[in-house]
C-alpha cells in the first residue's frame, strides 16, 4: 500500500481585509477538505501576506527589484488567467477539435498583454544590459520579454509548464501547481451557463469561458473576483466561447450580449458556426484581442453585414483598437476591401491554415503598426503591391506552406525586420532582403524554384545549411554581412553559380548598391518583342526606369533621349551592347545607375561622335556587376558632388576611362568598391589641386597589390587612393583551388 504523501504549496494573496479574508479563511478550507477528503494530499498554504518568491525573481529579471509587490500581483493575475485557458477536470474533451490543450506560449502572452498585465507600475531603473528599459514596458518587444520571463519563472517553480496536458482520473495531478488546481477546480469555478449569467449580472465575474459539446449541456468556467485584487476593472474583460452549436443560447444571443460588455478586452470565438462576425464586435470600444480560430463557416471578414453595408459605412473613419487578430483554421476566403484601414493599431495578424484564402485586400498596406505577420497554408498567389514596403514596423514574417505563391519578394532596406521565415513555396524564384540591417534570423526551406537570393547588408550571424543547398539556387549574395561568423562549408552539397561573400573590415561599409528610387514618373518595362513607338515621348519625361529581361534593346538611348531621367536600373538585357550613346540632357539629371547581368555589354557610355563631351555632373552612384564582356566605363564628370562607384565581376574591364592619361577631379569621386575585376590594373590619375582628398577603395588584397602606378608620379598617384581592404584572415588568393569543404 502506497503511503506516500504529496505536498503542494500555493502562494499568497495580498493583505486585503474583509472579503478576501472571508474567502480565504472561511469559504476555501471547507471546499479544500471536501475535495481532498479521500485523497492523500497535504496542501500547505503559508505566508499569505508576503510576496511569493517567484515575484522577487521576476522583479529582478525585469530590473524593478524595488517593486516586488507589483510583480507579485502581475504573477497572480497571469497564473489565474492561464488556469482559465487550460482544460479543467470536467471540461468536455475535443471541444476545439484540437484536444483543447495546445495553448502556445505566444498565444498565452497575447492574452496577458491584451488584459494589460504585462506593464510596469512606474518607470524602471536606468537601462542595464539584458534588462527591460523602455518606459512603462509598453513596447511590443518588452511585452514578449516580460511574458517569457514570467513563464520561465513559473516553470522553474513548478507552477505551470507548456504545453499543458490535463490530468486524467487515473493520473495523480502532481506535475505542477496548475495541474493540481485545475484538477480540483480550486481557482476556476465550474457552473451552468445560467449560474454564470447570474454571477455576471452581479458584476462578480471578470473572465468567462464557455464550452459546448454536441449532445452535452453547455458548461461554463470563470475566475471569481474574490481571487482578484480590487484594482481589477469592473465589468467582464475576457469572454471565451468554444465549440458552441448554433442552438446554444450564448451563440444566438451574442450580437445582443456584446453591446453590454463595454469593458471587454479579449473576445475568443473558437470553433463555432459563425457565418459572419456580429456587427457589435466592431463597436466594442476597448477590444484588443479577437480570435475567430476554427470558425469554418466564416468565409468573408467584414466590419458590417451585407444588409447594413452602405457607401457611407465603407468609407467610415471609425477606428478599431485591435492589437491582435487571429483567423487561423477558419473558412475565410476574402476580406472587405477597406477592413484593415480601420485597424491602425493592429500589431499581430495570424492566418494559419486558412485553406480557402485566395488573396489579401489592398488595405493591408495600411497596417503601419503591424509587427508580426504569419500566413500559413493559403491559396494566395500574389501579395498586394508594396505590401511589405508600407509596413514600416514589421519585425517578424512567417510564410509557410503557401504552395501557390508565385510573387517575387523584395524587401530591400526594410528598417525594422528582424526575422524572416519562408518554407514550402515551390514557385518563388527571387527573394531579396538586401539592406535589412536588423535582420538576424532567416529560415528558408523547400523552395524548389528559388534562383536568386540577396542577403547583403543584413545582421545574419549564421547561415543555415539549407540555404546554399537549395536545388535551383544560382545566385547567392552576402555582401557587407559583417556579423556573419559561420558559413556551412562542411555541409555543402552543391554551390550556386554566382556566390559573393564579403564581410567588411572594421565596420567600414561602402554603399553596396545605389538607392534606385521609384519616382512619381516611374516606368517599368520587361519585354521580348519590340516596344510601341509611342513610348518615345513618355520616356522623355520619365524620372526613373527599370528595364528587365529584355532581348530587343541594344542601347537604352535608342528608346528615347530621357531628358529628365534620374534613376536607372537595367537587369538581364542580354542584347544590350551600350547603355548610352549620347547623353546631352540626361548627363545633367542622371543620379543613380545600377546595371546587372548584361551579358553583351561592352561599354557603359559609347559616344556616337568623337567630339561628344557630355558630362555626368549629377551622377552619385554607379553600380556595374556581372557583365562579363564590359571593357570601358567612361563616365566623364566635372561636378562637385561626390560619386560612389561599385564594380563587381567584370573580368575584361581594363580601364575606367578611354583616355588613360586624363586626370579627373578628386572631389567628384568619393568611393570605389571593386570585386572580381582582375584585369583592372590601373586606376585613373586624380587632379593635383585636390591631392589632399583621397578616394576610399575597397577591394581584394591580391588585386590591390598588383595595381600599377605611374613611374614619374608614383607617390602622387598612389597617394590619391586610400585602401579599405578586408582583414588578412578573410582574404584569399584568387587562384587557390578548393579541394575540400571539410573543416
Amino acid at each position: 500500500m502506497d503511503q506516500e504523501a504529496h505536498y503542494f504549496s500555493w502562494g499568497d494573496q495580498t493583505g486585503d481585509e474583509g472579503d478576501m479574508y472571508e474567502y480565504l479563511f472561511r469559504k476555501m478550507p471547507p471546499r479544500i477538505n471536501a475535495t481532498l477528503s479521500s485523497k492523500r494530499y497535504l496542501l500547505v498554504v503559508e505566508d499569505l501576506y508576503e510576496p511569493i518568491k517567484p515575484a522577487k525573481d521576476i522583479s529582478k529579471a525585469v530590473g524593478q527589484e524595488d517593486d516586488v509587490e507589483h510583480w507579485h500581483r502581475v504573477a497572480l493575475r497571469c497564473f489565474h488567467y492561464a488556469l482559465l485557458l487550460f482544460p479543467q477536470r470536467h471540461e468536455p474533451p475535443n471541444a476545439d477539435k484540437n484536444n483543447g490543450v495546445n495553448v502556445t506560449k505566444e498565444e498565452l502572452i497575447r492574452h496577458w498583454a491584451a488584459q494589460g498585465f504585462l506593464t510596469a507600475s512606474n518607470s524602471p531603473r536606468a537601462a542595464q544590459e539584458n534588462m527591460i528599459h523602455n518606459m512603462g514596458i509598453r513596447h511590443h518587444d518588452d511585452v514578449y520579454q516580460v511574458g517569457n520571463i514570467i513563464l520561465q519563472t513559473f516553470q522553474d517553480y513548478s507552477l505551470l509548464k507548456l504545453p499543458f496536458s490535463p490530468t486524467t482520473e487515473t493520473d495523480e495531478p502532481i506535475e505542477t501547481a496548475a495541474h493540481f488546481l485545475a484538477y480540483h477546480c480550486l481557482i476556476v469555478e465550474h457552473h451552468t451557463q445560467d449560474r454564470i449569467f447570474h454571477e455576471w449580472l452581479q458584476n462578480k465575474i471578470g473572465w468567462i469561458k464557455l464550452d459546448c459539446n454536441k449532445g452535452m449541456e453547455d458548461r461554463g468556467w470563470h475566475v471569481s473576483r474574490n481571487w482578484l485584487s480590487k484594482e481589477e476593472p469592473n465589468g467582464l474583460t475576457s469572454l471565451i466561447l468554444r465549440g458552441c452549436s448554433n442552438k446554444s443560447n450564448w451563440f444566438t444571443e451574442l450580437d445582443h450580449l456584446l453591446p453590454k460588455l463595454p469593458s471587454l478586452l479579449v473576445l475568443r470565438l473558437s470553433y463555432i458556426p459563425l457565418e459572419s462576425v456580429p456587427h457589435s464586435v466592431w463597436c466594442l470600444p476597448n477590444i484588443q484581442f479577437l480570435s475567430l480560430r476554427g470558425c469554418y463557416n466564416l468565409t468573408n471578414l467584414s466590419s458590417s453585414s451585407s444588409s447594413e453595408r452602405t457607401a457611407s459605412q465603407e468609407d467610415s473613419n471609425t477606428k478599431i483598437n485591435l492589437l491582435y487578430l487571429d483567423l487561423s483554421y477558419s473558412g475565410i476566403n476574402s476580406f472587405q476591401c477597406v477592413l484593415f484601414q480601420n485597424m491602425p493599431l493592429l500589431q499581430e495578424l495570424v492566418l494559419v491554415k486558412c485553406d480557402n484564402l485566395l488573396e489579401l485586400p489592398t488595405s493591408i498596406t495600411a497596417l503601419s503598426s503591424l509587427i508580426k505577420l504569419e500566413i500559413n497554408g493559403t491559396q494566395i498567389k500574389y501579395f498586394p503591391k508594396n505590401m511589405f514596403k508600407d509596413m514600416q514596423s514589421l519585425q517578424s514574417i512567417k510564410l509557410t506552406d503557401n504552395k501557390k505563391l508565385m510573387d517575387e519578394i523584395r524587401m530591400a532596406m526594410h528598417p525594422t525586420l528582424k526575422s524572416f521565415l519562408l518554407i514550402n513555396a515551390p514557385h518563388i524564384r527571387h527573394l531579396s532582403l538586401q539592406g535589412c540591417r536588423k535582420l538576424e534570423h532567416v529560415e528558408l526551406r523547400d523552395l524548389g524554384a528559388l534562383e536568386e537570393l540577396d542577403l547583403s547588408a543584413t545582421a545574419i550571424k549564421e547561415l543555415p545549411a539549407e540555404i546554399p543547398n537549395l536545388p535551383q539556387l544560382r545566385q547567392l549574395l552576402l555582401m557587407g554581412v559583417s556579423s556573419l561568423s559561420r558559413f556551412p562549408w562542411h555541409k555543402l552539397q552543391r554551390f550556386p553559380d554566382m556566390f559573393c561573400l564579403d564581410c567588411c573590415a572594421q565596420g567600414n561599409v561602402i554603399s553596396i548598391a545605389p538607392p534606385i528610387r521609384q519616382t512619381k514618373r516611374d516606368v517599368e518595362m520587361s519585354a521580348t518583342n519590340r516596344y510601341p513607338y509611342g513610348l518615345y515621348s513618355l520616356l522623355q519625361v520619365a524620372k526613373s526606369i527599370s528595364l528587365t529581361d529584355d532581348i530587343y534593346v541594344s542601347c537604352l538611348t535608342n528608346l528615347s533621349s530621357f531628358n529628365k531621367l534620374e534613376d536607372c536600373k537595367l537587369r538581364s538585357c542580354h542584347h544590350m551592347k551600350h547603355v548610352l550613346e549620347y547623353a546631352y540632357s540626361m548627363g545633367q539629371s542622371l543620379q543613380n545607375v545600377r546595371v546587372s547581368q548584361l551579358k553583351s555589354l561592352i561599354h557603359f557610355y559609347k559616344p556616337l561622335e568623337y567630339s561628344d563631351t557630355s558630362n555626368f555632373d549629377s551622377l552619385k552612384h554607379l553600380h556595374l556587376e556581372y557583365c562579363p564582356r564590359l571593357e570601358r566605363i567612361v563616365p566623364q564628370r566635372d561636378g562637385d558632388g561626390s560619386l560612389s562607384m561599385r564594380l563587381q565581376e567584370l573580368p575584361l574591364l581594363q580601364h575606367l576611362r578611354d583616355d588613360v592619361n586624363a586626370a579627373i577631379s578628386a572631389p567628384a569621386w568619393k568611393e570605389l568598391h571593386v570585386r572580381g575585376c582582375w584585369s583592372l590594373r590601373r586606376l585613373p590619375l586624380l587632379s593635383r589641386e585636390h591631392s589632399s582628398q583621397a578616394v576610399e577603395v575597397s577591394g581584394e588584397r591580391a588585386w590591390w597589390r598588383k595595381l600599377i602606378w605611374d613611374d614619374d608620379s608614383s607617390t602622387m598617384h598612389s597617394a590619391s587612393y586610400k585602401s579599405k581592404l578586408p582583414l588578412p584572415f578573410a582574404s584569399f588568393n584568387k587562384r587557390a583551388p578548393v579541394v575540400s569543404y571539410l573543416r
Side-chain angles (χ1 to χ4, degrees), residues 600-653:
S600 301
L601 189 68
I602 299 175
H603 290 84
F604 172 77
Y605 179 43
K606 183 68 172 178
L608 292 177
E609 301 177 3
Y610 182 78
S611 59
D612 187 349
T613 58
S614 298
N615 289 331
F616 294 83
D617 294 340
S618 299
L619 191 61
K620 297 179 180 179
H621 298 273
L622 178 60
H623 186 138
L624 302 172
E625 61 181 6
Y626 309 114
C627 301
R629 300 182 62 191
L630 184 65
E631 299 176 0
R632 296 285 192 277
I633 297 176
V634 199
Q636 185 172 338
R637 189 177 183 281
D638 296 326
D640 293 332
S642 62
L643 169 65
S644 296
M645 188 182 302
R646 179 182 181 87
L647 310 175
Q648 183 170 331
E649 299 302 329
L650 309 174
L652 299 185
L653 180 66

Side-chain angles (χ1 to χ4, degrees), residues 513-530:
I516 302 300
R517 305 166 298 170
Q518 288 187 341
T519 65
K520 293 183 178 180
R521 285 183 274 176
D522 176 67
V523 177
E524 296 185 12
M525 299 192 301
S526 176
T528 57
N529 297 311
R530 292 178 177 272

Side-chain angles (χ1 to χ4, degrees), residues 115-373:
Q115 290 289 337
F117 297 160
L118 307 180
T119 57
S121 60
N122 50 45
S123 177
R125 69 188 183 194
Q128 298 182 16
E129 187 175 358
N130 298 325
M131 291 187 177
I132 311 301
H133 55 78
N134 286 316
M135 175 71 72
I137 312 186
R138 288 188 289 263
H139 295 290
H140 184 272
D141 285 349
D142 292 340
V143 165
Y144 273 88
Q145 288 182 53
V146 173
N148 281 313
I149 289 171
I150 292 174
L151 281 174
Q152 185 61 49
T153 306
F154 284 169
Q155 180 172 320
D156 293 343
Y157 284 88
S158 296
L159 296 176
L160 69 82
K161 295 180 181 179
L162 294 179
F164 180 89
S165 299
T167 302
T168 64
E169 293 283 353
T170 58
D171 297 327
E172 296 290 354
I174 60 175
E175 184 177 355
T176 65
H179 283 87
F180 177 83
L181 296 169
Y183 182 79
H184 295 294
C185 299
L186 295 178
I187 302 295
V188 180
E189 300 182 12
H190 170 229
H191 293 298
T192 63
Q193 61 170 324
D194 292 336
R195 172 67 182 278
I196 287 183
F197 190 79
H198 178 72
E199 295 276 323
W200 166 64
L201 288 177
Q202 294 184 346
N203 198 29
K204 294 182 178 181
I205 300 178
W207 310 326
I208 293 177
K209 179 176 70 174
L210 294 170
D211 270 303
C212 316
N213 205 21
K214 186 176 182 181
M216 298 181 63
E217 179 185 6
D218 292 351
R219 297 171 181 264
W221 287 263
H222 74 93
V223 177
S224 171
R225 284 199 177 278
N226 291 318
W227 280 108
L228 307 177
S229 72
K230 294 180 179 180
E231 298 176 6
E232 297 293 336
N234 291 326
L236 189 66
T237 61
S238 181
L239 177 61
I240 300 172
L241 301 183
R242 191 173 63 185
C244 296
S245 69
N246 53 10
K247 296 181 180 179
S248 168
N249 291 337
W250 284 90
F251 177 77
T252 56
E253 296 297 323
L254 185 62
D255 206 8
H256 302 288
L257 175 65
L258 291 177
K260 301 176 183 179
L261 306 176
S263 301
L264 197 64
L265 299 171
V266 173
L267 179 59
R268 184 175 175 184
L269 309 175
S270 303
Y271 297 93
I272 61 178
L274 274 179
E275 295 183 0
S276 62
V277 178
H279 180 64
S280 54
V281 169
W282 310 115
C283 299
L284 292 169
N286 296 303
I287 187 71
Q288 294 192 12
F289 181 103
L290 175 61
S291 174
L292 301 170
R293 179 179 286 254
C295 295
Y296 42 85
N297 289 338
L298 182 65
T299 58
N300 180 270
L301 190 63
S302 172
S303 58
S304 59
S305 64
S306 58
S307 61
E308 296 171 333
R309 194 177 305 146
T310 64
S312 60
Q313 286 171 323
E314 290 284 346
D315 297 331
S316 174
N317 291 324
T318 303
K319 302 301 180 183
I320 304 167
N321 295 322
L322 271 181
L323 298 180
Y324 311 95
L325 177 60
D326 186 355
L327 297 170
S328 301
Y329 300 94
S330 68
I332 193 78
N333 59 40
S334 61
F335 295 86
Q336 180 186 7
C337 292
V338 298
L339 177 70
F340 291 115
Q341 290 181 0
N342 297 327
M343 300 181 186
L345 303 179
L346 192 67
Q347 294 183 355
E348 297 191 28
L349 176 60
V350 183
L351 303 170
V352 173
K353 293 297 181 182
C354 296
D355 299 334
N356 300 322
L357 185 58
L358 300 175
E359 61 180 1
L360 296 173
T362 55
S363 63
I364 198 171
T365 61
L367 298 179
S368 58
S369 298
L370 196 68
I371 294 175
K372 287 190 175 183
L373 175 64

